[in-house]
Amino acid sequence: MPKPLPMLTWLLIALTGALAVATIAIHRGEQINAIWLVVAAGCTYAIGYRFYSKFISAKVLALDEQRATPSERLENGRDFVPTNKWVVFGHHFAAIAGPGPLVGPVLAAQFGYLPGTLWILTGAVFGGCVQDFVILLFSIRRDGKSLTEMAREEIGPLGGLVAYLAVISIIVILLGVCALVVVNALKSSPWGTFTITMTIPIALLMGIYLRRLRPGKVLETSALGFVLVMLAIWGGQWISQTPSLARCFTLSASTLAMVIILYGFAASALPVWLLLAPRDYLSTFVKLGTIGLLAAGIIVLHPTLHMPALTRFVDGSGPVFAGNVFPFAFITIACGAISGFHSLIASGTTPKLIRNEKEARLVGYGAMLAESMVAIMATIAACVLQPGIYFAINSPAGIVGQSPEAAANTISNWGFPVHALDMQALAQAVGEQTLYNRTGGAPAFAVGMAHIFSNSLGGHSLMAIWYHFAIMFEALFILTVLDAGTRVGRFMVQDALGHVLRPLGRTSWYPSILATSALIVGAWGYFLWQGVKDPLGGINSLWPLFGISNQLLAIVALCVATTIVIKMGRSRYAPVTLAPLAWLVAVTFTASWHKIFDADVRIGFLAHARQLVASHGNARLIFNDRLDAAVTGILVFMIALILIESAIAWLQVLSGRKEARVKESPFVATRFAAEQE
């Protein structure tokens, strides 16, 4: 029988969370405090983890702490290593927390704080956390097999092929959009460009220091990296104030794009210990430390949200990106609520490290809750800005006008007053030449973050330092995604080409490394170049494409999960994965239809292409629009095939026409003592 005190505690948490959510949802015409979002998120996540994840653990997955995991049975000291659950949690969180939970909520703030906040909370608890948790556990029970391997074995050969193609597609699109976010954050910014440039030799030095100079001295390496990063930020300020040096680091978007493409190729081809591993490590402790600081700053300062709950742009006429709240808010936020990319991590290195099945709940469900909290903080960082400032930063010049005066006048006429002099003063305060037309979400997040930090830690005089710290923070782990994602894509291309010509499949053969690195970098580099040359800022068309492909991959993961749940004889619990699957199908298929066929030239790829043809516009832009439409259509077609094949498999099992047998590894009793959660 439940004890009275815990019952009362959880009842109090539930009531507090309900009050916070009601405050967020009901208030209109008046500003609310950001602390309500933090309280709503904290209570929602606590209830979700304590009750819903426990229900899934016991009823849907039947976690067994007596069952040996792959890290124990296949331990080899390299890939399969039994690891402390908190270390695995940190690794998994660092791997899944890319730019999505920061950029997506900032872009979606054009609708107001309400739609994004509600979707982040509900989407994470009932969708994203569930996907990550079940895929992680199912991979653990299959010797750490990848999502594509599980799709092939549990759904069928077509499912495996579609999953492989979808993974390659999302990696290419994801990396192209990530690189575009970095370009938009760093263009014409000598301070930011210098700081990010310096993180490359810092990472190289850390790699050499840890491997050659002081092997095993992790604490020393961490301290060295932290000190050098701080010096790089201070050095960037000096560079920006020295005209002769500032010119060297004031780069155009096109130049930055070429530099990042070359960097991606080098990162894929260099030995992993030299750049990838130390940059991952550097970004991980910067990421966790900064998120902790931001959370503390929000709690201490509890700033007011100046963005209204709902803006006039819920009708689809938004300047940041075009489209109605449904479905575009849901594909824009993406990773803060549910991300198909996470299923690649949950069926990648993480299942090979889990020491006990019961730890999958903390790592799978818990790490996604942590990422969702990051998305809530990003929402706050965007919404503490005055709406006029937010739109001046995030709106492309093609919509608001080229000059500061024209942009300020356009935005003020929308009902969000902003003055060119105020924007100039803000740019000077953060050490930038201009903050207009900085599309991509990263600069707006950095300004909001600098506002929070400067009011709680150091005062207004340090706003420029905090702004560039935030830019470094964002760009550092976005580049980490480029590092790791390019390498993963290269491995997948090598694996496929190895079936055609065996030497190409050897991951250690340098001609193969160079050729496949060039292929994958060339693919995402094209999408980056497309975004750089887009007069609407690139994000308007490419971020929805990223969101659609990311959510389509989540559909693949949930199809695999639902198939396994039904085959396990637990069809009564299939709605746990089937409900978010159905929602994602509705959202992504609707969004895809709009992006291909919508008559609004700011939404539909083909409509925009027709407008360009009629006005004898740029041939490259016309080709890009048609390519984006084709990519979207092909992805939807492939996912429709896997949905059909999955549904057939479900019906066959439920009707008794097919044996309900899952392809798990045989049960082996663990030699480890059961650990307390």
CSV table of all heavy atoms in Angstrom, one decimal, residues 90 93-94 97 102 195-196 199 202-203 206 221-233 278-295 374 377 445 449 453 466 468-478 480:
chain,number,residue,atom,x,y,z
A,90,GLY,N,25.8,10.8,-19.4
A,90,GLY,CA,26.5,11.9,-19.9
A,90,GLY,C,26.8,11.8,-21.4
A,90,GLY,O,26.7,12.7,-22.2
A,93,PHE,N,23.5,11.9,-23.5
A,93,PHE,CA,23.0,13.2,-23.6
A,93,PHE,C,23.8,14.1,-24.5
A,93,PHE,O,23.3,14.8,-25.4
A,93,PHE,CB,22.9,13.9,-22.2
A,93,PHE,CG,22.6,15.3,-22.2
A,93,PHE,CD1,21.2,15.7,-22.5
A,93,PHE,CD2,23.5,16.3,-22.0
A,93,PHE,CE1,20.9,17.0,-22.5
A,93,PHE,CE2,23.2,17.6,-22.1
A,93,PHE,CZ,21.8,18.0,-22.3
A,94,ALA,N,25.2,14.0,-24.4
A,94,ALA,CA,26.0,14.8,-25.3
A,94,ALA,C,25.9,14.4,-26.7
A,94,ALA,O,26.0,15.3,-27.6
A,94,ALA,CB,27.5,14.6,-24.8
A,97,ALA,N,22.1,15.7,-27.9
A,97,ALA,CA,21.8,17.2,-27.8
A,97,ALA,C,22.6,18.0,-28.8
A,97,ALA,O,23.6,18.6,-28.5
A,97,ALA,CB,22.2,17.7,-26.4
A,102,LEU,N,18.1,23.8,-29.4
A,102,LEU,CA,18.3,25.2,-29.2
A,102,LEU,C,17.7,26.1,-30.3
A,102,LEU,O,17.1,27.1,-30.1
A,102,LEU,CB,19.9,25.5,-29.2
A,102,LEU,CG,20.6,24.9,-28.0
A,102,LEU,CD1,22.1,25.1,-28.2
A,102,LEU,CD2,20.2,25.5,-26.7
A,195,THR,N,37.0,33.1,-32.3
A,195,THR,CA,36.8,32.2,-31.2
A,195,THR,C,36.6,30.7,-31.6
A,195,THR,O,37.2,29.8,-31.1
A,195,THR,CB,35.6,32.6,-30.3
A,195,THR,OG1,35.9,34.0,-29.8
A,195,THR,CG2,35.4,31.7,-29.1
A,196,ILE,N,35.7,30.6,-32.6
A,196,ILE,CA,35.4,29.2,-33.1
A,196,ILE,C,36.6,28.6,-33.8
A,196,ILE,O,36.9,27.4,-33.7
A,196,ILE,CB,34.1,29.2,-34.0
A,196,ILE,CG1,32.9,29.7,-33.2
A,196,ILE,CG2,33.9,27.9,-34.6
A,196,ILE,CD1,32.7,28.8,-32.0
A,199,THR,N,39.0,27.1,-31.5
A,199,THR,CA,38.7,25.8,-30.9
A,199,THR,C,39.2,24.6,-31.6
A,199,THR,O,39.4,23.5,-31.0
A,199,THR,CB,37.1,25.6,-30.7
A,199,THR,OG1,36.5,25.6,-32.0
A,199,THR,CG2,36.5,26.7,-29.9
A,202,ILE,N,42.8,24.2,-30.4
A,202,ILE,CA,42.6,23.8,-29.0
A,202,ILE,C,42.3,22.3,-28.9
A,202,ILE,O,42.9,21.5,-28.1
A,202,ILE,CB,41.6,24.6,-28.3
A,202,ILE,CG1,42.1,26.1,-28.1
A,202,ILE,CG2,41.2,24.0,-26.9
A,202,ILE,CD1,41.0,27.0,-27.6
A,203,ALA,N,41.4,21.8,-29.7
A,203,ALA,CA,41.0,20.4,-29.7
A,203,ALA,C,42.1,19.5,-30.1
A,203,ALA,O,42.4,18.5,-29.6
A,203,ALA,CB,39.8,20.2,-30.6
A,206,MET,N,44.5,19.3,-27.3
A,206,MET,CA,44.0,18.4,-26.3
A,206,MET,C,44.2,16.9,-26.7
A,206,MET,O,44.6,16.1,-25.8
A,206,MET,CB,42.5,18.7,-26.0
A,206,MET,CG,42.3,20.0,-25.3
A,206,MET,SD,40.5,20.4,-25.2
A,206,MET,CE,40.0,19.1,-24.1
A,221,THR,N,43.9,17.8,-18.9
A,221,THR,CA,43.4,18.1,-20.2
A,221,THR,C,42.2,19.0,-20.2
A,221,THR,O,42.0,19.9,-21.0
A,221,THR,CB,43.1,16.8,-21.1
A,221,THR,OG1,44.3,16.0,-21.0
A,221,THR,CG2,42.8,17.2,-22.5
A,222,SER,N,41.2,18.6,-19.3
A,222,SER,CA,40.0,19.4,-19.1
A,222,SER,C,40.3,20.9,-18.7
A,222,SER,O,39.8,21.8,-19.3
A,222,SER,CB,39.1,18.8,-18.1
A,222,SER,OG,38.8,17.4,-18.5
A,223,ALA,N,41.2,21.0,-17.7
A,223,ALA,CA,41.6,22.3,-17.2
A,223,ALA,C,42.3,23.1,-18.3
A,223,ALA,O,42.0,24.3,-18.5
A,223,ALA,CB,42.5,22.2,-16.0
A,224,LEU,N,43.1,22.5,-19.1
A,224,LEU,CA,43.8,23.1,-20.2
A,224,LEU,C,42.8,23.6,-21.2
A,224,LEU,O,42.9,24.8,-21.7
A,224,LEU,CB,44.8,22.2,-20.8
A,224,LEU,CG,45.6,22.7,-22.1
A,224,LEU,CD1,46.5,23.9,-21.7
A,224,LEU,CD2,46.4,21.6,-22.7
A,225,GLY,N,41.9,22.8,-21.6
A,225,GLY,CA,40.9,23.1,-22.6
A,225,GLY,C,40.0,24.3,-22.2
A,225,GLY,O,39.8,25.2,-22.9
A,226,PHE,N,39.6,24.3,-20.9
A,226,PHE,CA,38.7,25.3,-20.4
A,226,PHE,C,39.5,26.7,-20.4
A,226,PHE,O,38.9,27.7,-20.9
A,226,PHE,CB,38.3,25.0,-19.0
A,226,PHE,CG,37.5,26.0,-18.3
A,226,PHE,CD1,36.1,26.2,-18.7
A,226,PHE,CD2,38.0,26.9,-17.4
A,226,PHE,CE1,35.3,27.2,-18.1
A,226,PHE,CE2,37.2,27.9,-16.8
A,226,PHE,CZ,35.9,28.0,-17.2
A,227,VAL,N,40.7,26.7,-19.9
A,227,VAL,CA,41.5,27.9,-19.9
A,227,VAL,C,41.7,28.5,-21.3
A,227,VAL,O,41.5,29.7,-21.5
A,227,VAL,CB,42.8,27.7,-19.2
A,227,VAL,CG1,43.7,28.9,-19.4
A,227,VAL,CG2,42.6,27.4,-17.7
A,228,LEU,N,42.0,27.6,-22.2
A,228,LEU,CA,42.3,28.1,-23.6
A,228,LEU,C,41.0,28.6,-24.3
A,228,LEU,O,41.1,29.5,-25.0
A,228,LEU,CB,42.9,26.9,-24.4
A,228,LEU,CG,44.3,26.5,-24.0
A,228,LEU,CD1,44.8,25.3,-24.8
A,228,LEU,CD2,45.3,27.7,-24.2
A,229,VAL,N,39.9,27.9,-24.0
A,229,VAL,CA,38.6,28.4,-24.6
A,229,VAL,C,38.3,29.8,-24.0
A,229,VAL,O,37.8,30.7,-24.8
A,229,VAL,CB,37.5,27.4,-24.3
A,229,VAL,CG1,36.1,28.0,-24.5
A,229,VAL,CG2,37.6,26.2,-25.1
A,230,MET,N,38.4,30.0,-22.7
A,230,MET,CA,38.2,31.3,-22.2
A,230,MET,C,39.1,32.4,-22.8
A,230,MET,O,38.7,33.5,-23.1
A,230,MET,CB,38.4,31.3,-20.6
A,230,MET,CG,37.4,30.4,-19.9
A,230,MET,SD,35.6,30.9,-20.2
A,230,MET,CE,35.1,29.7,-21.3
A,231,LEU,N,40.4,32.0,-23.0
A,231,LEU,CA,41.3,32.9,-23.6
A,231,LEU,C,40.9,33.2,-25.0
A,231,LEU,O,41.1,34.4,-25.5
A,231,LEU,CB,42.7,32.3,-23.6
A,231,LEU,CG,43.4,32.3,-22.2
A,231,LEU,CD1,44.8,31.6,-22.3
A,231,LEU,CD2,43.6,33.7,-21.6
A,232,ALA,N,40.4,32.2,-25.7
A,232,ALA,CA,39.9,32.4,-27.1
A,232,ALA,C,38.8,33.5,-27.2
A,232,ALA,O,38.7,34.3,-28.1
A,232,ALA,CB,39.5,31.1,-27.7
A,233,ILE,N,37.9,33.4,-26.2
A,233,ILE,CA,36.8,34.4,-26.1
A,233,ILE,C,37.3,35.8,-25.9
A,233,ILE,O,36.9,36.7,-26.6
A,233,ILE,CB,35.8,33.9,-25.1
A,233,ILE,CG1,35.1,32.6,-25.4
A,233,ILE,CG2,34.7,35.0,-24.9
A,233,ILE,CD1,34.2,32.0,-24.3
A,278,PRO,N,38.8,14.7,-29.0
A,278,PRO,CA,38.9,15.8,-28.1
A,278,PRO,C,37.9,16.9,-28.3
A,278,PRO,O,37.5,17.6,-27.3
A,278,PRO,CB,40.4,16.3,-28.4
A,278,PRO,CG,40.7,15.8,-29.8
A,278,PRO,CD,39.9,14.5,-29.8
A,279,ARG,N,37.4,17.1,-29.6
A,279,ARG,CA,36.4,18.2,-29.8
A,279,ARG,C,35.1,17.7,-29.1
A,279,ARG,O,34.4,18.5,-28.5
A,279,ARG,CB,36.2,18.4,-31.2
A,279,ARG,CG,35.1,19.4,-31.5
A,279,ARG,CD,34.9,19.7,-33.0
A,279,ARG,NE,35.8,20.7,-33.4
A,279,ARG,CZ,35.7,22.0,-33.2
A,279,ARG,NH1,34.7,22.5,-32.5
A,279,ARG,NH2,36.5,22.9,-33.7
A,280,ASP,N,34.8,16.4,-29.2
A,280,ASP,CA,33.6,15.9,-28.5
A,280,ASP,C,33.7,16.2,-27.0
A,280,ASP,O,32.7,16.6,-26.3
A,280,ASP,CB,33.4,14.4,-28.7
A,280,ASP,CG,32.8,14.1,-30.1
A,280,ASP,OD1,32.5,15.1,-30.8
A,280,ASP,OD2,32.8,13.0,-30.5
A,281,TYR,N,34.9,15.9,-26.5
A,281,TYR,CA,35.1,16.0,-25.0
A,281,TYR,C,35.0,17.5,-24.6
A,281,TYR,O,34.4,17.9,-23.6
A,281,TYR,CB,36.4,15.4,-24.6
A,281,TYR,CG,36.7,15.5,-23.1
A,281,TYR,CD1,36.0,14.7,-22.3
A,281,TYR,CD2,37.7,16.3,-22.6
A,281,TYR,CE1,36.2,14.8,-20.9
A,281,TYR,CE2,37.9,16.4,-21.3
A,281,TYR,CZ,37.2,15.6,-20.4
A,281,TYR,OH,37.4,15.7,-19.1
A,282,LEU,N,35.7,18.4,-25.4
A,282,LEU,CA,35.7,19.8,-25.2
A,282,LEU,C,34.2,20.3,-25.2
A,282,LEU,O,33.8,21.1,-24.3
A,282,LEU,CB,36.5,20.5,-26.2
A,282,LEU,CG,36.6,22.0,-26.1
A,282,LEU,CD1,37.3,22.5,-24.8
A,282,LEU,CD2,37.3,22.6,-27.3
A,283,SER,N,33.5,19.9,-26.2
A,283,SER,CA,32.1,20.4,-26.3
A,283,SER,C,31.2,19.9,-25.2
A,283,SER,O,30.3,20.6,-24.8
A,283,SER,CB,31.5,20.1,-27.7
A,283,SER,OG,31.3,18.7,-27.8
A,284,THR,N,31.4,18.7,-24.7
A,284,THR,CA,30.6,18.1,-23.7
A,284,THR,C,30.6,18.9,-22.4
A,284,THR,O,29.6,19.2,-21.9
A,284,THR,CB,31.0,16.6,-23.5
A,284,THR,OG1,30.8,15.9,-24.7
A,284,THR,CG2,30.1,16.0,-22.4
A,285,PHE,N,31.8,19.2,-21.9
A,285,PHE,CA,31.8,19.9,-20.7
A,285,PHE,C,31.5,21.3,-20.8
A,285,PHE,O,30.9,21.9,-19.9
A,285,PHE,CB,33.2,19.7,-19.9
A,285,PHE,CG,34.4,20.4,-20.4
A,285,PHE,CD1,34.5,21.8,-20.2
A,285,PHE,CD2,35.4,19.7,-21.0
A,285,PHE,CE1,35.7,22.4,-20.6
A,285,PHE,CE2,36.5,20.4,-21.5
A,285,PHE,CZ,36.7,21.7,-21.3
A,286,VAL,N,31.7,21.9,-22.0
A,286,VAL,CA,31.2,23.3,-22.2
A,286,VAL,C,29.7,23.3,-22.3
A,286,VAL,O,29.0,24.2,-21.7
A,286,VAL,CB,31.8,23.9,-23.5
A,286,VAL,CG1,31.2,25.2,-23.9
A,286,VAL,CG2,33.3,24.1,-23.3
A,287,LYS,N,29.1,22.3,-23.0
A,287,LYS,CA,27.7,22.2,-23.1
A,287,LYS,C,27.0,22.0,-21.8
A,287,LYS,O,26.1,22.8,-21.4
A,287,LYS,CB,27.4,21.0,-24.0
A,287,LYS,CG,25.9,20.8,-24.3
A,287,LYS,CD,25.6,19.5,-25.1
A,287,LYS,CE,26.5,19.4,-26.3
A,287,LYS,NZ,26.1,18.1,-27.0
A,288,LEU,N,27.4,21.0,-21.0
A,288,LEU,CA,26.8,20.8,-19.7
A,288,LEU,C,27.0,21.9,-18.7
A,288,LEU,O,26.0,22.3,-18.0
A,288,LEU,CB,27.4,19.5,-19.1
A,288,LEU,CG,27.1,18.2,-19.8
A,288,LEU,CD1,27.8,17.0,-19.2
A,288,LEU,CD2,25.6,17.9,-19.9
A,289,GLY,N,28.2,22.5,-18.7
A,289,GLY,CA,28.4,23.7,-17.8
A,289,GLY,C,27.5,24.9,-18.2
A,289,GLY,O,27.0,25.5,-17.3
A,290,THR,N,27.4,25.1,-19.5
A,290,THR,CA,26.6,26.3,-19.9
A,290,THR,C,25.2,26.1,-19.7
A,290,THR,O,24.5,27.1,-19.3
A,290,THR,CB,26.9,26.6,-21.4
A,290,THR,OG1,28.3,26.7,-21.7
A,290,THR,CG2,26.2,27.8,-21.9
A,291,ILE,N,24.7,24.9,-19.9
A,291,ILE,CA,23.2,24.6,-19.7
A,291,ILE,C,22.9,24.8,-18.2
A,291,ILE,O,21.9,25.4,-17.8
A,291,ILE,CB,22.9,23.2,-20.1
A,291,ILE,CG1,22.9,23.2,-21.7
A,291,ILE,CG2,21.5,22.8,-19.6
A,291,ILE,CD1,22.8,21.8,-22.3
A,292,GLY,N,23.8,24.3,-17.3
A,292,GLY,CA,23.7,24.5,-15.9
A,292,GLY,C,23.7,26.0,-15.5
A,292,GLY,O,22.8,26.4,-14.7
A,293,LEU,N,24.6,26.8,-16.1
A,293,LEU,CA,24.6,28.2,-15.8
A,293,LEU,C,23.3,28.9,-16.3
A,293,LEU,O,22.8,29.8,-15.6
A,293,LEU,CB,25.8,28.8,-16.5
A,293,LEU,CG,27.2,28.7,-15.8
A,293,LEU,CD1,28.3,29.3,-16.7
A,293,LEU,CD2,27.2,29.5,-14.5
A,294,LEU,N,22.9,28.5,-17.5
A,294,LEU,CA,21.7,29.1,-18.0
A,294,LEU,C,20.5,28.8,-17.1
A,294,LEU,O,19.6,29.7,-16.8
A,294,LEU,CB,21.4,28.6,-19.4
A,294,LEU,CG,20.2,29.2,-20.1
A,294,LEU,CD1,20.3,30.8,-20.2
A,294,LEU,CD2,20.1,28.7,-21.5
A,295,ALA,N,20.3,27.6,-16.7
A,295,ALA,CA,19.2,27.2,-15.8
A,295,ALA,C,19.3,28.0,-14.5
A,295,ALA,O,18.3,28.6,-14.0
A,295,ALA,CB,19.3,25.7,-15.5
A,374,VAL,N,16.4,21.6,-22.1
A,374,VAL,CA,17.2,22.6,-22.9
A,374,VAL,C,16.3,23.4,-23.8
A,374,VAL,O,16.5,24.6,-24.0
A,374,VAL,CB,18.3,21.8,-23.6
A,374,VAL,CG1,19.1,22.8,-24.6
A,374,VAL,CG2,19.3,21.2,-22.7
A,377,MET,N,14.5,26.1,-22.1
A,377,MET,CA,15.4,27.2,-21.8
A,377,MET,C,15.6,28.0,-23.1
A,377,MET,O,15.8,29.2,-23.0
A,377,MET,CB,16.7,26.7,-21.2
A,377,MET,CG,16.5,26.2,-19.8
A,377,MET,SD,18.1,25.9,-18.9
A,377,MET,CE,18.6,24.4,-19.7
A,445,PHE,N,19.2,33.3,-29.9
A,445,PHE,CA,19.4,32.5,-28.6
A,445,PHE,C,20.5,33.2,-27.8
A,445,PHE,O,20.5,33.3,-26.6
A,445,PHE,CB,19.7,31.1,-28.9
A,445,PHE,CG,20.1,30.3,-27.7
A,445,PHE,CD1,19.1,29.8,-26.8
A,445,PHE,CD2,21.4,30.1,-27.4
A,445,PHE,CE1,19.5,29.1,-25.7
A,445,PHE,CE2,21.8,29.3,-26.3
A,445,PHE,CZ,20.8,28.8,-25.4
A,449,MET,N,20.4,34.7,-24.2
A,449,MET,CA,21.2,34.1,-23.2
A,449,MET,C,22.1,35.2,-22.5
A,449,MET,O,22.3,35.2,-21.3
A,449,MET,CB,22.1,33.0,-23.8
A,449,MET,CG,22.9,32.2,-22.8
A,449,MET,SD,23.6,30.8,-23.8
A,449,MET,CE,24.9,30.3,-22.6
A,453,PHE,N,22.3,36.2,-18.6
A,453,PHE,CA,23.6,36.2,-17.9
A,453,PHE,C,24.0,37.5,-17.4
A,453,PHE,O,24.5,37.7,-16.3
A,453,PHE,CB,24.7,35.6,-18.8
A,453,PHE,CG,24.7,34.1,-18.8
A,453,PHE,CD1,25.3,33.4,-19.8
A,453,PHE,CD2,23.9,33.3,-17.9
A,453,PHE,CE1,25.3,32.0,-19.9
A,453,PHE,CE2,23.9,31.9,-18.0
A,453,PHE,CZ,24.6,31.3,-19.0
A,466,TRP,N,29.4,37.5,-22.8
A,466,TRP,CA,28.4,36.4,-22.7
A,466,TRP,C,27.8,36.1,-24.0
A,466,TRP,O,27.5,34.9,-24.3
A,466,TRP,CB,27.2,36.8,-21.7
A,466,TRP,CG,27.6,36.7,-20.3
A,466,TRP,CD1,27.6,37.8,-19.3
A,466,TRP,CD2,28.1,35.6,-19.6
A,466,TRP,NE1,28.0,37.3,-18.1
A,466,TRP,CE2,28.3,36.0,-18.2
A,466,TRP,CE3,28.3,34.3,-19.9
A,466,TRP,CZ2,28.8,35.1,-17.3
A,466,TRP,CZ3,28.8,33.4,-19.0
A,466,TRP,CH2,29.1,33.8,-17.7
A,468,HIS,N,29.2,36.2,-27.0
A,468,HIS,CA,30.2,35.4,-27.8
A,468,HIS,C,30.5,34.1,-27.1
A,468,HIS,O,30.8,33.1,-27.8
A,468,HIS,CB,31.4,36.2,-28.1
A,468,HIS,CG,31.2,37.3,-29.1
A,468,HIS,ND1,30.8,38.6,-28.8
A,468,HIS,CD2,31.3,37.2,-30.5
A,468,HIS,CE1,30.7,39.3,-29.9
A,468,HIS,NE2,30.9,38.5,-30.9
A,469,PHE,N,30.3,34.1,-25.8
A,469,PHE,CA,30.4,32.8,-25.1
A,469,PHE,C,29.2,31.9,-25.6
A,469,PHE,O,29.4,30.7,-25.9
A,469,PHE,CB,30.3,32.9,-23.6
A,469,PHE,CG,30.4,31.6,-22.9
A,469,PHE,CD1,31.6,31.0,-22.6
A,469,PHE,CD2,29.2,31.0,-22.5
A,469,PHE,CE1,31.6,29.8,-21.9
A,469,PHE,CE2,29.2,29.8,-21.8
A,469,PHE,CZ,30.5,29.2,-21.5
A,470,ALA,N,28.0,32.5,-25.7
A,470,ALA,CA,26.9,31.7,-26.2
A,470,ALA,C,27.1,31.3,-27.7
A,470,ALA,O,26.7,30.1,-28.0
A,470,ALA,CB,25.6,32.5,-26.1
A,471,ILE,N,27.6,32.1,-28.5
A,471,ILE,CA,27.8,31.8,-29.9
A,471,ILE,C,28.9,30.6,-30.0
A,471,ILE,O,28.7,29.7,-30.7
A,471,ILE,CB,28.4,33.0,-30.7
A,471,ILE,CG1,27.2,34.0,-30.9
A,471,ILE,CG2,28.9,32.6,-32.0
A,471,ILE,CD1,26.1,33.5,-31.8
A,472,MET,N,29.9,30.7,-29.2
A,472,MET,CA,30.9,29.7,-29.1
A,472,MET,C,30.3,28.4,-28.6
A,472,MET,O,30.5,27.3,-29.2
A,472,MET,CB,32.1,30.1,-28.2
A,472,MET,CG,33.2,29.1,-28.0
A,472,MET,SD,32.9,27.8,-26.8
A,472,MET,CE,32.7,28.8,-25.3
A,473,PHE,N,29.5,28.5,-27.6
A,473,PHE,CA,28.8,27.3,-27.1
A,473,PHE,C,27.9,26.6,-28.1
A,473,PHE,O,28.0,25.4,-28.3
A,473,PHE,CB,27.9,27.8,-25.9
A,473,PHE,CG,26.7,26.9,-25.5
A,473,PHE,CD1,27.0,25.7,-24.9
A,473,PHE,CD2,25.4,27.3,-25.7
A,473,PHE,CE1,25.9,24.9,-24.5
A,473,PHE,CE2,24.4,26.5,-25.4
A,473,PHE,CZ,24.6,25.3,-24.8
A,474,GLU,N,27.1,27.4,-28.9
A,474,GLU,CA,26.3,26.8,-29.9
A,474,GLU,C,27.1,26.2,-31.1
A,474,GLU,O,26.9,25.1,-31.5
A,474,GLU,CB,25.3,27.9,-30.5
A,474,GLU,CG,24.3,28.4,-29.5
A,474,GLU,CD,23.4,29.4,-30.0
A,474,GLU,OE1,23.9,30.6,-30.2
A,474,GLU,OE2,22.3,29.1,-30.4
A,475,ALA,N,28.0,27.1,-31.6
A,475,ALA,CA,28.8,26.6,-32.7
A,475,ALA,C,29.7,25.5,-32.4
A,475,ALA,O,29.9,24.6,-33.3
A,475,ALA,CB,29.6,27.8,-33.3
A,476,LEU,N,30.2,25.4,-31.2
A,476,LEU,CA,31.1,24.3,-30.8
A,476,LEU,C,30.5,23.0,-30.9
A,476,LEU,O,31.0,22.1,-31.6
A,476,LEU,CB,31.6,24.6,-29.4
A,476,LEU,CG,32.7,23.6,-28.9
A,476,LEU,CD1,34.0,23.7,-29.8
A,476,LEU,CD2,33.0,23.9,-27.4
A,477,PHE,N,29.3,22.8,-30.4
A,477,PHE,CA,28.7,21.5,-30.5
A,477,PHE,C,27.9,21.2,-31.8
A,477,PHE,O,27.7,20.1,-32.1
A,477,PHE,CB,27.9,21.1,-29.2
A,477,PHE,CG,26.6,21.8,-29.0
A,477,PHE,CD1,25.5,21.4,-29.8
A,477,PHE,CD2,26.4,22.7,-28.1
A,477,PHE,CE1,24.2,22.0,-29.6
A,477,PHE,CE2,25.2,23.4,-27.8
A,477,PHE,CZ,24.1,23.0,-28.6
A,478,ILE,N,27.6,22.3,-32.5
A,478,ILE,CA,27.1,22.1,-33.9
A,478,ILE,C,28.2,21.6,-34.7
A,478,ILE,O,28.0,20.6,-35.5
A,478,ILE,CB,26.5,23.4,-34.4
A,478,ILE,CG1,25.3,23.8,-33.7
A,478,ILE,CG2,26.2,23.2,-35.9
A,478,ILE,CD1,24.7,25.2,-34.1
A,480,THR,N,30.6,19.8,-33.6
A,480,THR,CA,30.8,18.5,-33.2
A,480,THR,C,29.9,17.5,-33.9
A,480,THR,O,30.2,16.4,-34.2
A,480,THR,CB,30.6,18.4,-31.6
A,480,THR,OG1,31.5,19.3,-31.0
A,480,THR,CG2,30.8,17.0,-31.1
